[in-house]
Amino acid sequence: MNGNEGKKGKVVLAYSGGLDTSVAIPWLKEQGYDVVTMTADVGQQADNMDEINEKAIKTGALTAHMLDLRKDMVENFIWPGLKSNALYEGVYPLNSAYSRPIIAQALVYVAHLESAVAIAHGCTGKGQDQVRIEICANALDPALEVIAPVRDWHMTREEEMAYAEEHNVPVPTTRKSPYSLDDNLWGRSCECGALEDPWNKPPKDAYGLTADPLDAPDKPAVTEITFKKGIPVAVDGEFMEGVELIGALNKLAGSHGVGRIDLVENRLVGFKSREVYECPGAVVLITAHKALETITLAKDVMRVKADMEKKFAELTYEGYWFSPLMDAIQAFVDNTQEVVSGTVRVQLYKGQAVVEGMKSENAIYRYDLATYSDGDSFDHSAAVGFINVWGLPIKTWTRTHPKERVSFKSAADKKLTAGS
Ligand code: ARG
């Protein structure tokens, strides 16, 4: 150390216990800060969660905080996302993207608690997680300085290992995984290694949460999910809190190979990247929720909501979680969810989640209007006047702008023989 420690005040570091954020502790101290760590429990599959605080202190942190954010993450990020059926570019359930604004929130929270002057995170300069954490932190407290040691220290992997050894930071003994992984309650993200060539089939070891659909049970599972105002409250009639409910569906759907997503996506930072996601619970819940909306929402509401859903996903992906547009979209979506209550039955089979049935006390699906059998109450004669009026603009247009549209260049000219 260079004797500068603490001169600049405290910095709150987002700490995972891994090599990068561990090396960041002595590095930040050398820059003149006292280091306080903040580790967020967002439901990641870490087996050493209870040792992380201790490791932070051993590595030189002044104080170490561990925040269990799972419930907040579900209620304030995952449920709003589910209500919005949010899928970036139509497929990615945004699992990693939801955890960044909550981590930013937790960093700011601890910074205020500790009267810190800065926050720090271990993101590199290439991803969007740096963008999300920094923009979200700035949105919550524009006065806090944000430091990104890994982006700034310009060390190669070898230099980082040497620096770690010099500063008594424990270095991992196991070989580094070829992948960059990130996971939480809503799913697991995996990039790098063989995945960087989009021609490569994802290797088996890129997956960690789901069964290969080819190895999944030959017998399907059928599960019933009950929603109240857009939020899932029970699975197979058993009422559960969100954290438990998502966990149960991750396990069940994951065992049937549901939730694997392989996507080349458009990154915010300008290039395309390929990532493999495993989001079994998310896929089942979004599939079921969308289905329930088909019987409960009005047509025009569904159409406008679809536009909002796309915007919601883009804002989340691009770091604008805490923004006026996001607040407005969430207010709109919340309003639509007042009627989205009911139960959806989903079949899970070899990688697919397929809706089998749905019901709701608020359904505006009406059997007597839809049926082609006895009990039909639809006024067939009303169709005549409706078609006259609905088609009038088209008729008018054609009379004014006649255009030859009835010719078949490729169809064979089969002479009519019958009756001639
Ligand atoms: N591409 C995703 C996103 O930007 C996931 C990033 C997760 N990070 C990782 N190391 N796999 O939201």
Side-chain angles (χ1 to χ4, degrees):
M1 296 291 151
N2 59 10
N4 265 339
E5 296 95 84
K7 289 221 173 94
K8 289 187 182 161
K10 287 182 190 169
V11 59
V12 181
L13 168 69
Y15 185 64
S16 70
L19 181 67
D20 284 346
T21 53
S22 295
V23 166
I25 297 176
W27 189 86
L28 284 164
K29 288 171 77 173
E30 283 184 343
Q31 313 304 307
Y33 295 95
D34 275 331
V35 181
V36 172
T37 60
M38 188 291 296
T39 304
D41 180 356
V42 285
Q44 63 271 46
Q45 312 228 279
D47 34 42
N48 58 348
M49 278 306 263
D50 41 340
E51 294 162 21
I52 289 182
N53 275 353
E54 210 183 303
K55 184 171 177 189
I57 300 294
K58 269 199 200 137
T59 315
L62 195 65
T63 325
H65 296 262
M66 168 79 66
L67 269 57
D68 180 353
L69 302 175
R70 290 173 302 164
K71 196 168 186 288
D72 296 85
M73 170 135 170
V74 171
E75 285 168 10
N76 303 330
F77 296 86
I78 293 175
W79 286 169
L82 175 61
K83 289 193 258 185
S84 306
N85 300 316
L87 294 169
Y88 180 66
E89 297 189 335
V91 281
Y92 163 43
L94 294 159
N95 44 297
S96 294
Y98 291 138
S99 69
R100 273 39 186 191
I102 197 170
I103 288 171
Q105 233 177 2
L107 286 170
V108 173
Y109 170 79
V110 175
H112 291 170
L113 213 67
E114 293 272 0
S115 307
V117 295
I119 60 166
H121 61 78
C123 303
T124 67
K126 233 178 149 170
Q128 28 231 3
D129 289 334
Q130 51 170 347
V131 181
R132 295 173 184 145
I133 291 186
E134 296 189 22
I135 292 183
C136 290
N138 289 159
L140 298 170
D141 183 350
L144 275 174
E145 188 197 349
V146 186
I147 309 168
V150 181
R151 193 176 60 198
D152 294 344
W153 64 36
H154 305 294
M155 286 193 271
T156 62
R157 185 86 190 160
E158 292 69 38
E159 287 166 344
E160 189 185 349
M161 297 284 262
Y163 182 94
E165 262 160 42
E166 253 167 60
H167 293 82
N168 294 324
V169 176
V171 292
T173 47
T174 48
R175 207 172 60 85
K176 195 181 178 309
S177 152
Y179 304 113
S180 164
L181 300 167
D182 178 64
D183 75 313
N184 60 58
L185 267 177
W186 202 231
R188 179 181 189 268
S189 308
C190 174
E191 62 179 334
C192 303
L195 298 170
E196 286 176 354
D197 180 348
W199 178 249
N200 285 342
K201 179 180 169 179
K204 274 195 177 303
D205 66 353
Y207 296 103
L209 212 62
T210 54
D212 184 331
L214 295 174
D215 304 330
D218 293 328
K219 202 172 163 300
V222 174
T223 185
E224 287 184 9
I225 299 157
T226 302
F227 290 85
K228 208 162 179 220
K229 299 191 180 188
I231 291 172
V233 291
V235 174
D236 295 322
E238 195 185 325
F239 284 83
M240 290 182 214
E241 284 286 334
V243 174
E244 194 194 345
L245 186 143
I246 295 168
L249 285 176
N250 275 339
K251 216 166 144 206
L252 176 68
S255 73
H256 285 271
V258 169
R260 291 187 168 194
I261 296 154
D262 180 0
L263 172 68
V264 173
E265 69 199 40
N266 288 299
R267 278 205 186 180
L268 175 57
V269 286
F271 58 92
K272 289 180 189 281
S273 68
R274 195 238 198 135
E275 193 127 13
V276 164
Y277 300 102
E278 291 171 279
C279 308
V283 166
V284 173
L285 287 170
I286 295 170
T287 304
H289 179 261
K290 266 189 181 166
L292 190 57
E293 287 190 332
T294 65
I295 58 167
T296 51
L297 292 188
K299 175 174 88 174
D300 48 0
V301 171
M302 284 181 82
R303 289 184 178 181
V304 173
K305 184 170 182 280
D307 293 342
M308 301 287 170
E309 291 173 351
K310 189 162 168 281
K311 200 68 210 167
F312 179 105
E314 288 167 2
L315 291 174
T316 305
Y317 191 87
E318 294 175 355
Y320 269 43
W321 183 273
F322 301 111
S323 68
L325 181 54
M326 182 57 116
D327 290 348
I329 290 177
Q330 287 198 25
F332 169 86
V333 169
D334 279 345
N335 182 285
T336 65
Q337 298 301 293
E338 283 297 312
V339 294
V340 185
S341 301
T343 299
V344 181
R345 198 173 63 248
V346 187
Q347 186 197 69
L348 310 170
Y349 181 62
K350 301 222 183 262
Q352 300 292 318
V354 177
V355 172
E356 278 190 352
M358 53 190 133
K359 60 180 181 184
S360 166
E361 65 267 27
N362 300 327
I364 45 173
Y365 174 93
R366 285 253 315 265
Y367 176 84
D368 61 322
L369 289 176
T371 186
Y372 284 85
S373 309
D374 288 351
D376 180 6
S377 72
F378 184 78
D379 179 359
H380 293 232
S381 63
V384 180
F386 171 73
I387 294 166
N388 271 339
V389 175
W390 180 244
L392 185 58
I394 302 292
K395 250 191 205 169
T396 310
W397 178 266
T398 304
R399 287 198 170 116
T400 320
H401 307 283
K403 186 175 175 185
E404 178 50 55
R405 296 185 198 257
V406 194
S407 68
F408 299 103
K409 284 209 179 65
S410 60
D413 186 7
K414 286 189 184 163
K415 293 273 176 291
L416 271 185
T417 49
S420 59

